[in-house]
Amino acid sequence: MKTMPSIFLGHGSPMLALDDNNITHTLSSLGQRVIRDYGRPKAILMISAHWYKNRNLIQRTGQPTQIYDMYGFPKALYAVKYPVSGCVELSDAVLAIKQLDAVVDNTWGIDHGTWTPLIHVFPDADIPVVQLSVNGILTPQQCYEIGQLFGRPTESLHLFLTLDKS
């Protein structure tokens, strides 16, 4: 089996969760390709720019809450459910990376930056998700170094995804 890739996703508008178009079809194809070419991920580590803090925070819970951290959209968007589980094993692996100096924070949930694209990439919500914050006080060089900690393919079957804040 090939090593699991690292993937960058830009989701654009949260309305993408409700769309059925070329973009959502491409996201769906991406999930199918990951499973076909690399196997089913054991869990997904997501870094979402929507969880922007002054340090590295990570969720460590078996049942992360889905949050709706956007405003002024149609009611149908707030009815979208993506009920993933968490993965304490993956959280612990991230916490063990000493140079990351991450701490647990379960006050934030799985935000729209995570569930909006994942609804199309892995629509069954059957792959656990752990979210890591973006540390807003790091220099670009430090962000690059953190990316190097996660950015190389892994043999642990954990998929690494990052998101922009479009």
Side-chain angles (χ1 to χ4, degrees):
M1 179 168 301
K2 296 178 184 178
T3 56
M4 197 59 67
S6 298
I7 299 171
F8 175 84
L9 295 173
H11 71 77
S13 168
M15 291 299 293
L16 182 72
L18 299 174
D19 289 343
D20 180 9
N21 57 33
N22 288 341
I23 295 169
T24 62
H25 298 171
T26 298
L27 290 172
S28 177
S29 294
L30 172 65
Q32 293 167 14
R33 183 175 169 204
V34 166
I35 291 171
R36 181 191 70 229
D37 294 350
Y38 302 95
R40 186 178 178 281
K42 184 176 181 181
I44 299 169
L45 177 65
M46 296 285 281
I47 298 178
S48 175
H50 296 278
W51 195 18
Y52 193 83
K53 293 295 181 180
N54 289 333
R55 70 172 308 157
N56 296 313
L57 303 174
I58 189 156
Q59 296 167 338
R60 187 181 186 280
T61 179
Q63 294 297 312
T65 303
Q66 179 179 347
I67 62 170
Y68 300 85
D69 57 317
M70 68 286 185
Y71 308 97
F73 290 93
K75 289 181 181 180
L77 187 59
Y78 301 96
V80 171
K81 304 293 183 217
Y82 193 73
V84 295
S85 60
C87 180
V88 172
E89 175 189 349
L90 178 55
S91 298
D92 287 345
V94 172
L95 288 165
I97 301 171
K98 295 304 176 199
Q99 53 275 51
L100 191 59
D101 193 32
V103 297
V104 173
D105 182 343
N106 289 325
T107 61
W108 190 252
I110 301 297
D111 61 46
H112 82 275
T114 294
W115 56 260
T116 295
L118 285 184
I119 280 173
H120 300 288
V121 178
F122 299 112
D124 294 333
D126 60 350
I127 300 172
V129 175
V130 172
Q131 197 166 288
L132 179 68
S133 69
V134 171
N135 186 334
I137 62 172
L138 297 181
T139 66
Q141 178 63 35
Q142 290 169 314
C143 290
Y144 176 80
E145 291 167 4
I146 285 176
Q148 293 298 334
L149 296 173
F150 300 112
R152 52 188 159 267
T154 175
E155 294 178 6
S156 68
L157 298 180
H158 293 107
L159 182 64
F160 173 70
L161 298 172
T162 58
L163 300 162
D164 75 346
K165 191 171 183 180
S166 301

